[in-house]
Amino acid sequence: MSRNNKKESLLVLDLSVCEPRKSGWFSASFFLIPFPQSLLAPYDKEKLDMSTYPVENIRNFSIIAHVDHGKSTLADRLLEITGTIAKTAHNKQVLDKLQVERERGITVKAQSASLFYNHEGVNYLLNLIDTPGHVDFSYEVSRSLSACQGVILVVDANEGIQAQTVANFYLAFEAQLAVIPVINKIDLKHADPERVEKQIEKLFDIPIDECVRISAKQGTNVEKVLQKIIEKIPPPQCNTADPLKALVFDSTFDHYRGVIANIALFGGEIQKGHKIVSAHTKKRYEVNEVGILTPNEQPTHKLYAGQVGYVIAGMKEVTEAQIGDTLFLYKQPVEPLPGFKSAKPMVFAGMYPVDQTEYNNLKSALEKLTLNDSSVTIHRDSSLALGAGWRLGFLGLLHMEVFNQRLEQEYNMSVILTAPTVPYKAILSSAKLIKEYGKAEITIINPAQFPDKISVSEYLEPTVLGTIVTPQEYIGKIIVLCQDRRAVQKDMLYIDEQRVMLKYLFPLNEIVLDFYDALKSLSSGYASFDYEDAGYQAADLIKMDILLNGNPVEELATIIHSDKAYATGKLLCERLKDAIPRQLFEIAIQAAIGKRIIARETLKAYRKNVVAKCYGGDITRRMKLLKRQAEGKKLMRKIGNVEVPRDAFIRVLKREPDK
């Protein structure tokens, strides 16, 4: 039996069809069968001995930065310098393994890699976690930081401090991690590292002499970053002699080996054959394989306290590997680690299979993908027009788009995604409703569940504290934009002579759709935006229904602020008029709040010219024919149902208008 590496297949000799020959030779047939590389991987590699790296020689760190400030490029250079990957011109975004990451040029998923580095004659084990920079994936950043003792804060020498730089710094600061400021892209023509150093000192109170100037693309001064990691970042505070305590901070699903859990060891050791227990599910497993990521899986004999790696323990169900779970040895229970605060969905959208026969396949794909992205919440939902589906909660619009793209690329699933909404709350005053729900405050993620104003004492809408960093010449336009979105200014700070940081309290539904695009457009692309949850506030909310010939269409109901009702109603009616095919009778498309109609469009009927055959003669003949036609149309309108075709729903519910 021989192995063919390139084709990932096995050459199988079929001895069952061997025939003896007069010459003394045998003839045999052979054939190739596909064989997954992942199954052969454990047998290809020599297992590493991790006992040579005591806790004091381990450094666990993350790279954090704003989008496009060079995190992944710096990670590539660190991997090259430490000999983890070979130096080639093709080493770009090595840790960005997903197709969507390479296509969009952004990091979506935090990826870890173990580096081996010799400093002053001592061998060190450095565990690097490359994190996303976009605000929608800040949950990935906070999870990654839980497995670290320090961070490299990367700032672009040309752009300076941006909104997400500030947000990510405070995440690291709150976690009490060591911060190494690194100024990247010093090779650029307009780079101004002195200005950026002053910004870092003013905003973060970090002395200028602690900043390291590098060019990750050219590899300039990157070696100095490695030395700073060893000097500034403390080793993990844990002991191999303690009982096993491992934090699951990420997980992926392999079709052949089940769940692969990424773990950080806070005590003890783990090896093949150990019986481990999950603190969350209380289930018992036997460890099949442990190892480190370099950045591909590299099996090891054992993993010890302070190290970061992966474990495969025969978890078959995607629900078994809960992120934030603690693993411990059977009959050696430990106090579970605090884990992570659960992600708070900011945007909800309905997801339905294009064909209802694909429902079960889509369900399976969603389960596997949500294991890899645990910040997505799922609720069963159904719609008269679109059939059975789910209501999914995302951290933001980009998160929703990326999730949809991954579903398409990784699981070959096409879905219908409805217009995104945000979660509202209502404080009930009706005793009957309180008894029905079992509580006085309810959360509304679907407009169909919006309670009547009579039975509610107050509606609440979610708010966010937004941070905008912009060159000062755009301040006027940006303030006007924020005021249009019902935002309240909280703070304004000049970072230096050119850049200003604005803080605003925004209603979430005002920024969720197109605020970021409008901001980039007004500031010629220079302004950056980041937001964090700021709780709920009272608001004058209303439910707007869309009526077709007086009948409400449940799928098109929306919750909006009363100030925006007229404009939104008019837009929806116009788009429906274009989307619904004409009938033999007239259709009235109306936007209504309660009993009050606030906008209307009329879709004219197909019309037959009944007087075409009348030429000359008396006018009464013509009038009689027209009257009979009008009566027929009136009757048809009474008994005819307006059926909105599925593609019309999709066009109206799309995030962007066709115009």
Side-chain angles (χ1 to χ4, degrees):
M1 195 183 282
S2 66
R3 172 95 182 285
N4 181 331
N5 279 320
K6 286 182 184 173
K7 301 288 181 189
E8 287 193 355
S9 54
L10 287 184
L11 184 66
V12 177
L13 192 64
D14 188 358
L15 295 171
S16 63
V17 289
C18 288
E19 295 172 15
R21 298 281 183 193
K22 285 177 186 175
S23 60
W25 291 93
F26 283 89
S27 76
S29 66
F30 63 87
F31 53 92
L32 286 170
I33 58 167
F35 205 72
Q37 188 75 32
S38 58
L39 278 183
L40 294 168
Y43 309 104
D44 282 357
K45 298 171 185 173
E46 199 178 316
K47 290 195 175 182
L48 294 173
D49 181 12
M50 300 303 289
S51 61
T52 54
Y53 298 96
V55 173
E56 57 271 16
N57 291 359
I58 297 172
R59 302 288 184 271
N60 299 326
F61 67 96
S62 272
I63 303 178
I64 57 173
H66 185 77
V67 177
D68 204 28
H69 278 203
K71 292 183 301 300
S72 297
T73 313
L74 176 57
D76 293 344
R77 294 299 83 77
L78 292 174
L79 290 167
E80 282 178 4
I81 288 171
T82 55
T84 309
I85 57 173
K87 284 190 182 184
T88 68
H90 303 295
N91 282 344
K92 289 177 183 172
Q93 291 178 273
V94 174
L95 292 179
D96 290 350
K97 296 175 183 174
L98 300 177
Q99 187 183 338
V100 63
E101 293 179 315
R102 292 182 172 273
E103 283 176 5
R104 290 176 176 256
I106 58 170
T107 303
V108 166
K109 197 89 193 85
Q111 298 287 354
S112 53
S114 295
L115 326 173
F116 303 102
Y117 183 63
N118 188 293
H119 178 63
E120 296 176 357
V122 181
N123 286 326
Y124 287 91
L125 171 64
L126 312 177
N127 293 310
L128 148 70
I129 301 174
D130 181 27
T131 60
H134 196 278
V135 57
D136 282 11
F137 305 105
S138 56
Y139 182 64
E140 288 280 331
V141 180
S142 64
R143 283 214 327 251
S144 303
L145 297 186
S146 66
C148 298
Q149 283 74 48
V151 294
I152 297 174
L153 181 70
V154 181
V155 187
D156 189 322
N158 194 24
E159 300 279 340
I161 284 176
Q162 300 286 302
Q164 277 137 272
T165 318
V166 179
N168 286 338
F169 169 79
Y170 284 113
L171 275 177
F173 185 73
E174 283 165 20
Q176 299 181 327
L177 304 181
V179 179
I180 300 169
V182 168
I183 297 167
N184 190 19
K185 305 189 185 181
I186 56 168
D187 56 310
L188 292 181
K189 188 179 175 184
H190 299 293
D192 190 353
E194 288 85 7
R195 176 173 67 86
V196 178
E197 282 173 349
K198 285 174 188 169
Q199 289 180 2
I200 289 171
E201 187 175 48
K202 182 173 181 181
L203 269 183
F204 304 144
D205 204 19
I206 298 173
I208 286 173
D209 55 359
E210 284 190 25
C211 298
V212 185
R213 297 183 187 183
I214 67 159
S215 166
K217 193 175 183 181
Q218 297 180 350
T220 314
N221 273 351
V222 176
E223 191 94 35
K224 205 180 272 185
V225 176
L226 283 167
Q227 291 163 12
K228 283 269 188 186
I229 290 166
I230 289 163
E231 290 164 15
K232 295 274 180 190
I233 296 175
Q237 298 295 312
C238 51
N239 194 338
T240 311
D242 293 342
L244 172 68
K245 188 188 273 191
L247 173 74
V248 179
F249 67 90
D250 204 354
S251 55
T252 49
F253 187 80
D254 186 291
H255 289 283
Y256 303 99
R257 294 186 290 168
V259 175
I260 301 170
N262 287 15
I263 55 168
L265 268 71
F266 285 83
E269 55 188 53
I270 189 169
Q271 68 181 60
K272 184 179 177 177
H274 271 175
K275 302 274 194 301
I276 58 168
V277 181
S278 154
H280 178 75
T281 62
K282 304 289 185 289
K283 285 189 181 178
R284 196 170 70 187
Y285 306 97
E286 185 174 332
V287 177
N288 300 331
E289 186 187 321
V290 295
I292 57 169
L293 296 156
T294 63
N296 297 319
E297 290 158 16
Q298 173 83 51
T300 64
H301 291 290
K302 284 186 181 183
L303 282 179
Y304 298 89
Q307 295 174 3
V308 174
Y310 70 91
V311 62
I312 300 170
M315 295 179 184
K316 297 285 187 287
E317 290 295 316
V318 289
T319 50
E320 291 177 59
Q322 288 289 327
I323 288 174
D325 193 4
T326 303
L327 304 176
F328 56 84
L329 287 177
Y330 179 55
K331 291 187 177 170
Q332 286 188 27
V334 293
E335 188 66 33
L337 291 155
F340 312 108
K341 60 178 183 183
S342 55
K344 227 179 192 177
M346 296 289 208
V347 176
F348 285 87
M351 186 177 275
Y352 301 89
V354 172
D355 183 353
Q356 279 296 312
T357 57
E358 288 288 299
Y359 180 85
N360 287 331
N361 294 342
L362 180 57
K363 184 183 177 185
S364 171
L366 282 174
E367 281 175 357
K368 285 168 186 165
L369 195 50
T370 47
L371 166 78
N372 199 239
D373 187 353
S374 62
S375 50
V376 177
T377 60
I378 297 185
H379 302 277
R380 290 278 299 278
D381 199 8
S382 64
S383 148
L384 289 171
L386 305 174
W390 295 269
R391 195 108 191 140
L392 269 61
F394 302 95
L395 301 181
L397 268 196
L398 179 67
H399 186 204
M400 182 170 92
E401 281 173 24
V402 165
F403 188 88
N404 191 22
Q405 200 172 330
R406 285 185 69 186
L407 208 55
E408 220 165 273
Q409 290 172 351
E410 295 172 35
Y411 298 95
N412 200 24
M413 282 286 142
S414 292
V415 296
I416 297 163
L417 214 56
T418 65
T421 60
V422 301
Y424 296 100
K425 284 187 177 179
I427 296 168
L428 304 173
S429 57
S430 154
K432 187 184 173 185
L433 278 178
I434 293 170
K435 190 179 178 183
E436 189 184 318
Y437 287 103
K439 51 188 174 181
E441 187 178 280
I442 59 164
T443 303
I444 307 146
I445 59 171
N446 192 337
Q449 301 159 350
F450 194 73
D452 234 349
K453 199 155 192 170
I454 306 160
S455 53
V456 171
S457 59
E458 196 174 37
Y459 292 117
L460 305 171
E461 67 177 346
T463 59
V464 290
L465 186 64
T467 304
I468 301 168
V469 176
T470 172
Q472 62 169 6
E473 59 263 35
Y474 303 111
I475 288 180
K477 292 179 185 174
I478 288 172
I479 287 175
V480 170
L481 172 69
C482 293
Q483 285 171 346
D484 285 348
R485 301 301 175 107
R486 302 191 286 124
V488 179
Q489 190 173 325
K490 292 290 178 188
D491 195 11
M492 184 170 168
L493 172 73
Y494 277 81
I495 299 170
D496 57 21
E497 297 82 47
Q498 284 94 35
R499 300 185 82 75
V500 185
M501 184 166 80
L502 301 163
K503 281 193 181 287
Y504 274 90
L505 191 68
F506 287 94
L508 180 60
N509 66 334
E510 293 290 344
I511 63 161
V512 82
L513 272 178
D514 57 350
F515 177 78
Y516 190 71
D517 295 341
L519 180 70
K520 284 287 181 189
S521 171
L522 284 179
S523 64
S524 309
Y526 287 111
S528 64
F529 179 62
D530 186 278
Y531 61 81
E532 59 186 87
D533 183 30
Y536 281 77
Q537 69 176 16
D540 184 11
L541 300 175
I542 47 175
K543 178 187 174 186
M544 185 174 71
D545 287 307
I546 298 295
L547 311 177
L548 296 180
N549 279 352
N551 300 317
V553 183
E554 190 182 284
E555 287 77 21
L556 298 176
T558 49
I559 301 169
I560 44 170
H561 194 273
S562 57
D563 293 352
K564 303 278 173 111
Y566 175 72
T568 311
K570 193 168 180 354
L571 178 72
L572 266 175
C573 289
E574 284 171 0
R575 284 168 69 185
L576 264 174
K577 185 183 176 184
D578 295 338
I580 296 175
R582 284 173 71 188
Q583 310 282 334
L584 290 170
F585 51 92
E586 192 178 88
I587 300 172
I589 304 165
Q590 298 166 312
I593 296 166
K595 300 284 181 189
R596 186 163 59 94
I597 306 296
I598 57 165
R600 173 178 170 139
E601 291 289 330
T602 304
L603 188 64
K604 295 291 182 191
Y606 281 123
R607 184 173 175 274
K608 181 185 176 186
N609 190 359
V610 290
V611 294
K613 58 186 177 184
C614 298
Y615 48 93
D618 191 22
I619 185 98
T620 54
R621 171 85 177 136
R622 295 167 67 92
M623 295 306 293
K624 187 179 171 184
L625 287 168
L626 286 169
K627 188 179 176 185
R628 191 185 297 167
Q629 185 190 36
E631 283 170 358
K633 294 267 184 193
K634 194 174 178 184
L635 180 66
M636 198 186 290
R637 192 173 169 185
K638 273 183 187 174
I639 60 172
N641 285 326
V642 184
E643 287 197 4
V644 184
R646 193 186 181 98
D647 60 335
F649 269 111
I650 297 163
R651 267 182 280 161
V652 173
L653 294 172
K654 262 196 317 190
R655 292 185 293 286
E656 291 162 13
D658 297 327
K659 296 171 187 176

